[in-house]
């Protein structure tokens, strides 16, 4: 809805026992309340291993845009453990962010929807993602 802050989202995820990577903090991913955005997150399955550049090509071909880290956090809050699917990882090739040290800008968030160890994690950019990953994109 655009009104919750990073602290509120992290608190909700903690209450739901949905683990969050320690690098995801209000300082590194600040959210400022604003009017709701009119967009929708969609999940697509490339069906094969892919690189970050190829991931963008798959999103573009599907008519989707790169998600912001804000939409990534809000999606995790809204769906958390409830995100179902055959493949365990949902990648969010979100906009780059400047973390507490320079190498953090080379990380992206992903939701691990494994039944045993679900959570919101950070993962390296510019690597080959396995065929067990799907992509989240935004339809405006």
């Amino acid at each position: 809805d655009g009104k919750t802050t990073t602290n509120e989202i992290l608190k909700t995820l903690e209450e739901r026992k949905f683990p969050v990577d320690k690098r995801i903090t209000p300082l590194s991913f600040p959210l400022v309340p604003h009017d709701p955005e009119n967009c929708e997150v969609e999940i697509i399955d490339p069906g094969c291993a892919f690189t970050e550049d190829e991931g963008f090509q798959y999103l573009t071909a599907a008519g989707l845009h790169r998600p912001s880290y804000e939409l990534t956090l809000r999606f995790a809050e809204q769906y958390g453990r409830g995100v179902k699917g055959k493949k365990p990882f949902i990648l969010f090739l979100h906009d780059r962010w400047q973390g507490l040290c320079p190498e953090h800008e080379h990380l992206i968030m992903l939701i691990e929807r494994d039944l045993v160890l679900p959570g919101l994690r950070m993962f390296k950019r510019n690597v080959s993602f396995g065929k067990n990953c799907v992509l989240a994109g935004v339809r405006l």
Side-chain angles (χ1 to χ4, degrees):
D1 65 2
K3 294 183 169 90
T4 53
T5 64
T6 307
N7 272 335
E8 292 168 327
I9 289 173
L10 295 176
K11 182 178 178 193
T12 298
L13 292 171
E14 180 182 326
E15 288 169 356
R16 294 179 184 160
K17 303 202 182 321
F18 193 73
V20 176
D21 191 296
K22 300 269 187 247
R23 294 170 286 195
I24 300 171
T25 68
L27 184 61
S28 58
F29 291 99
L31 298 182
V32 178
H34 58 77
D35 290 333
E37 296 177 68
N38 188 18
C39 63
E40 200 172 312
V41 175
E42 291 185 24
I43 308 296
I44 61 170
D45 184 355
C48 60
F50 57 92
T51 65
E52 185 173 358
D53 288 340
E54 291 166 336
F56 286 126
Q57 291 172 11
Y58 288 121
L59 291 175
T60 301
L64 300 173
H65 300 273
R66 163 193 287 226
S68 64
Y69 70 74
E70 176 177 357
L71 285 174
T72 302
L73 287 170
R74 294 188 190 289
F75 184 89
E77 176 193 32
Q78 186 173 1
Y79 296 102
R81 286 184 186 270
V83 181
K84 303 293 182 208
K86 294 179 182 179
K87 297 193 175 180
F89 304 106
I90 303 173
L91 291 172
F92 292 81
L93 299 175
H94 56 78
D95 45 329
R96 295 191 185 274
W97 61 281
Q98 184 59 52
L100 301 177
C101 54
E103 66 267 15
H104 285 178
E105 70 182 49
H106 300 291
L107 298 172
I108 56 172
M109 283 187 261
L110 64 87
I111 290 179
E112 189 169 344
R113 53 188 178 181
D114 183 292
L115 294 175
V116 179
L117 296 171
L120 182 60
R121 315 247 187 261
M122 299 297 294
F123 197 78
K124 291 181 182 178
R125 286 184 178 276
N126 299 322
V127 298
S128 182
F129 302 108
K131 62 182 179 180
N132 58 350
C133 297
V134 293
L135 285 165
V138 178
R139 185 157 320 273
L140 302 176

